[in-house]
Amino acid sequence: MRILSVALLLIAAPAFSQIASPVFLGPVINFLPPALDGSGHTIAFGSTVDPNGTVEDTNNLYVGAMKLAPNVTSVAFTSDGSHAVFTDVVTSGEGVGTVDTSTGTVWRLNVDTQGCVRPLVVCAECFFACVATPHATTDGGKVLFAVRRNQPFLVVNADGTNLVQLPVYSGTLAPAPQRVISANGLVVFTSSAPSGPTFAASATDVYVMNLDGSNVRNLTQFGTNSAVFAAIATISADASTVVFESNYAGNAAPPAQETEIWAVQTDGTQLRQLTSGPGAATSPSISADGKTVVFMQSRQINVLQPPAAPVSITSFRYSTPQSPMISDDGTRVAFLVGPNNSSAAGAVYEINSDGTNLQAVYAPRAINPRGVVSAAGLALPPSPGGLVTAYGINFTSDTIASAGEFPLPRVVAGASLLMTGTPLPMLSVSPWQINAQLPQQTPMQTTGFQVTFADGTATQLEPAGIVTVAPDLFVTEIDRSGNTVFQAAAFHAGTAIPVDDDHPAQAGDLLEMYGTGLGATAPPEPAAQPSPANPVAHATLTPVVLVGDVQAQVLFAGLTPGLAGVYQVNIVVPGGLTPGRYPVTLEGTNGNQGGLGTIAVQ
């Protein structure tokens, strides 16, 4: 039996939007941007996931698939690939270190004990490193790094001797993989006050200096508007050219709406804008001879060889590349890949700078910690009969595959989601999530979930607690004049018209809403099959529905005929609401509550 296309268009579209824009739940699976050696043959990076898919508490330094150092916060490379350079956190404090990539010998060069200026607001699970952005000289003899306080730049010999604080009052180095030290020791950085505190407003400009901190001089003069900035300044190895991102739009002009990639010669001449829209251009990296630049724009990696126009060398659809790094010889580009609309990453890729030979260098498969949840509601647990989502990494390549007919298959695109060893009926698989259905007979207990693949590999088991009910609605993200609106899957009764700003509801209107998590039904319905229209499967526990903080009358709650695992709740819009947007909250009898989506009321 084929799935009803009309029903999917009306009801399942919000669920599909979650596939296209997944989130990472629990302790975030994290990757640090990759660094390349000069030839582009060796990659160093950080990851919390080992090659077997085990998710660990901290980032480990990898060269290829070889783990070399724990607890790292940023990673760089010497141009010959002989040593990786890193910052890390240990019991005694934060520090800088090097690793001999041939022997695996780790040398810890310095431990910072002074602390740093931390942001006023930091999320509860975030870690904020004081020591960051290590950069090695071409010969690997010295390491330049930054600390987050005044006079931030320090240089130390590779053997740990002669730690020197440079006489720069404030400034920022580009991320560790980007080159900031030329072959002859010229250093590039950005700052709004390199010489000392100032009471006058100033833009953030690009500066160069010698490696010992002498001869600081500005390459740009963006004026006194503090909203104008330059960032991620990186220098060619031959010390001829600096590229950076900036919102500069010309002398005395207000900041540009989007950042672009700019270039300037190291003598301060030939300031020029290299890119233009649409979309912000960010994260530049430059080859050793200064002739090739890679950068991010429109969610793809672009290559620029002036005076030729930029060329996009990637074409990801359901993933987004991040943090591109070009090899010294300009032939290879390494980068991270993660889900769309997210700063998280789950794999390291490499590609030739002409767009050929795309390869996944490091792409372990794993379910995110605490990543098995209800398919509606980002933090709600799964419940019997409903749809479950497993968030993770590298479940497929850059594709989305969906079940095309009933009964729902147990394998989609070679992947299966197993609960206590039993494959579940599958709805869809993307690189970053799997949607499936739980049987109504699923026991209420902590259960192990695992993804298996056609090549015989499998993820590690990830536990998730099953609860009686966890009701919530599907949600679609909508852009309204630059603001994100979380539109609930709520429709005017008998139509496919959403209850949005263009079609608001009013008191007394009948609405049909769609989600999952309402639990067992009477009569009970088997998993993998569409729910019948006669008799309709009523939810045995009717949720309380609030529009804002006003309770709505519930006319029906149960499975949607023609679909599997999708529940429908029909309500009457309550009175007493002033015009505006209101969250729709569903409350279960066990206290579980979902209410991210909103509707418009007039």
Side-chain angles (χ1 to χ4, degrees), residues 37-436:
D37 69 350
S39 66
H41 291 127
T42 309
I43 299 178
F45 58 93
S47 176
T48 57
V49 187
D50 75 9
N52 296 320
T54 300
V55 182
E56 302 179 328
D57 292 333
T58 62
N59 279 298
N60 295 293
L61 169 62
Y62 288 88
V63 174
M66 181 171 55
K67 183 191 298 186
L68 295 180
N71 306 314
V72 297
T73 57
S74 55
V75 177
F77 233 162
T78 56
S79 61
D80 63 3
S82 64
H83 288 79
V85 183
F86 62 87
T87 55
D88 69 353
V89 179
V90 296
T91 302
S92 57
E94 298 183 37
V96 178
T98 65
V99 175
D100 185 317
T101 56
S102 62
T103 66
T105 303
V106 177
W107 294 90
R108 203 153 186 277
L109 306 183
N110 177 64
V111 174
D112 182 78
T113 59
Q114 299 183 46
C116 60
V117 178
R118 298 181 184 273
L120 295 178
V121 178
V122 179
C123 69
E125 294 186 358
C126 292
F127 172 77
F128 184 81
C130 292
V131 181
T133 57
H135 299 272
T137 55
T138 300
D139 64 3
K142 292 182 181 293
V143 177
L144 167 71
F145 62 98
V147 293
R148 299 183 193 273
R149 56 178 180 263
N150 291 340
Q151 288 191 277
F153 302 147
L154 296 98
V155 175
V156 65
N157 291 338
D159 62 3
T161 62
N162 196 28
L163 176 68
V164 177
Q165 188 167 34
L166 303 187
V168 175
Y169 177 72
S170 68
T172 303
L173 300 173
Q178 313 297 69
R179 187 190 308 103
V180 303
I181 310 173
S182 69
N184 65 356
L186 192 64
V187 175
V188 64
F189 65 98
T190 57
S191 178
S192 59
S195 302
T198 176
F199 295 103
S202 177
T204 301
D205 280 297
V206 180
Y207 292 82
V208 291
M209 65 179 174
N210 297 333
L211 188 57
D212 62 3
S214 63
N215 196 21
V216 175
R217 58 194 186 278
N218 56 303
L219 302 186
T220 64
Q221 299 183 46
F222 288 158
T224 59
N225 188 341
S226 60
V228 176
F229 68 85
I232 312 185
T234 179
I235 192 170
S236 59
D238 66 6
S240 64
T241 308
V242 169
V243 296
F244 57 96
E245 62 180 62
S246 178
N247 64 347
Y248 179 66
N251 291 331
Q257 294 292 317
E258 295 178 318
T259 60
E260 301 293 351
I261 305 301
W262 289 72
V264 64
Q265 301 308 107
T266 52
D267 61 3
T269 63
Q270 300 183 48
L271 176 67
R272 56 209 183 271
Q273 183 176 326
L274 299 182
T275 65
S276 58
T282 61
S283 303
S285 176
I286 190 171
S287 62
D289 61 9
K291 294 181 179 179
T292 306
V293 178
V294 297
F295 60 95
M296 288 296 307
Q297 190 169 38
S298 300
R299 299 196 326 194
Q300 303 297 337
I301 296 174
N302 294 263
V303 169
L304 175 63
Q305 294 178 315
V311 176
S312 179
I313 61 170
T314 59
S315 56
F316 287 93
R317 297 180 61 195
Y318 305 110
S319 304
T320 299
Q322 309 167 24
S323 305
M325 169 70 181
I326 194 167
S327 60
D328 283 357
D329 62 10
T331 61
R332 295 287 280 168
V333 179
F335 55 97
L336 299 178
V337 171
N340 291 340
N341 304 320
S342 173
S343 60
V348 179
Y349 275 68
E350 195 173 15
I351 191 172
N352 290 341
S353 57
D354 63 3
T356 61
N357 197 25
L358 175 68
Q359 296 180 353
V361 175
Y362 190 79
R365 292 160 165 166
I367 298 175
N368 295 349
R370 298 202 301 270
V372 180
V373 293
S374 169
L378 298 183
L380 294 178
S383 59
L387 301 182
V388 61
T389 293
Y391 291 103
I393 57 174
N394 306 306
F395 293 146
T396 68
S397 58
D398 189 44
T399 60
I400 290 179
S402 300
E405 59 185 15
F406 290 117
L408 296 177
R410 309 288 167 150
V411 181
V412 173
S416 297
L417 179 62
L418 277 59
M419 180 181 67
T420 58
T422 301
L424 296 174
M426 301 271 289
L427 278 78
S428 59
V429 180
S430 80
W432 315 108
Q433 83 181 69
I434 291 175
N435 287 348

